[in-house]
Amino acid sequence: MSVLVTREGSVTLIGIDRPERRNAVDGPTAAALADAFRAFDADDAATAAVLYGTGGTFCSGADLKALGTPDGNRAAADGDGPMGPTRLRLTKPVVAAISGHAVAGGLELAAWADLRVADETAVFGVYCRRWGVPLIDGGTVRLPRLIGQSHAMDMILTGRSVGADEALRIGLANRVVPAGEAVSAAVELAASLAALPQVCLRGDRASVLDQWGLPEADALAQEWTHGERSLAAAAYEGAARFAAGAGRHGTLA
């Protein structure tokens, strides 16, 4: 299997397992990734997911050797993206655990995730620039939204390598950890998300995603709609627990 799916508590781990191809994604792998994330989103017992690559590489992009063969990546305006899940809008968070290269389509997979934990070996880049292969898995949309147009344009036009420290500085990486610890740190982060009130967490996450392109008044109205669900679910109970002494001085309740 080119995609591994395991569980640690309520965290689903989804791994690209093609180390002999530096975890390049071909058509069957893309389909398996999309299916794995759909299954995660439909699993009521799963609260967060971690996306990673085996063998010291996150993902080197689309498998260019598969182009023009039956295993080539799907390329159509509808349905799943060429890299698989990049057009999915999930209801639960995904953390990317990045060791080694996350380049071309691999960078687009990383940008699709909600959060990125990189280890010191991580390298990001639009390497497909060198071969005339376009970003068609959300790279030209998500990268500017994550790091701003200036930083994104620098990466997209030049195709240069961006190491872990620079990625942290410009906001592409959310955490940088020692080499070899990306997956364990990402699982720890995902588990911490799983411990929080889920209706509110998912509602606030959805509001962040929904607000792009909306006028401020419409975005605020959308925020209120999500917030009403959270208030009805458990917000008053949570506020009462805080008033009774739980979670003081920044500790988790």
Side-chain angles (χ1 to χ4, degrees):
M1 294 293 292
S2 59
V3 172
L4 305 175
V5 180
T6 56
R7 282 280 289 274
E8 290 193 23
S10 64
V11 177
T12 299
L13 286 81
I14 299 174
I16 306 170
D17 187 32
R18 302 187 77 213
E20 74 286 354
R21 299 288 301 128
R22 295 178 63 81
N23 291 331
V25 171
D26 61 4
T29 305
L33 281 172
D35 288 343
F37 277 106
R38 273 189 281 265
F40 152 70
D41 209 40
D43 185 354
D44 291 338
T47 52
V50 170
L51 173 63
Y52 69 99
T54 64
T57 298
F58 178 72
C59 175
S60 60
D63 189 346
L64 299 184
K65 289 187 176 181
L67 294 180
T69 76
D71 286 340
N73 296 65
R74 183 181 184 277
D78 59 352
D80 292 335
M83 294 293 292
T86 50
R87 295 175 185 165
L88 296 180
R89 166 72 181 273
L90 304 184
T91 62
K92 296 179 280 191
V94 176
V95 180
I98 300 160
S99 296
H101 284 77
V103 296
L107 173 63
E108 293 180 289
L109 281 174
W112 170 76
D114 295 277
L115 298 170
R116 284 149 294 283
V117 175
D119 77 14
E120 294 168 336
T121 71
V123 177
F124 302 85
V126 185
Y127 283 13
C128 50
R129 174 63 54 244
R130 307 169 185 183
W131 318 116
V133 177
L135 295 170
I136 50 176
D137 278 273
T140 65
V141 176
R142 295 189 179 104
L143 199 58
R145 291 181 177 185
L146 288 174
I147 64 175
Q149 181 169 313
S150 180
H151 289 307
M153 199 69 83
D154 181 14
M155 292 184 67
I156 290 168
L157 295 185
T158 68
R160 69 181 181 88
S161 300
V162 171
D165 288 342
E166 183 180 359
L168 181 65
R169 177 174 60 81
I170 65 178
L172 182 53
N174 299 99
R175 313 275 194 280
V176 173
V177 298
E181 296 184 13
V183 173
S184 61
V187 170
E188 183 178 356
L189 176 57
S192 74
L193 301 180
L196 297 169
Q198 290 298 297
V199 172
C200 184
L201 181 147
R202 295 177 195 178
D204 285 353
R205 173 183 177 273
S207 181
V208 171
L209 296 175
D210 286 344
Q211 60 88 24
W212 286 106
L214 292 177
E216 183 180 41
D218 293 343
L220 291 171
Q222 184 72 263
E223 179 188 64
W224 175 253
T225 298
H226 288 297
E228 278 190 309
R229 299 189 188 102
S230 298
L231 289 171
Y236 294 113
E237 177 187 342
R241 286 193 295 113
F242 176 80
R248 294 298 171 86
H249 308 295
T251 59
L252 288 176

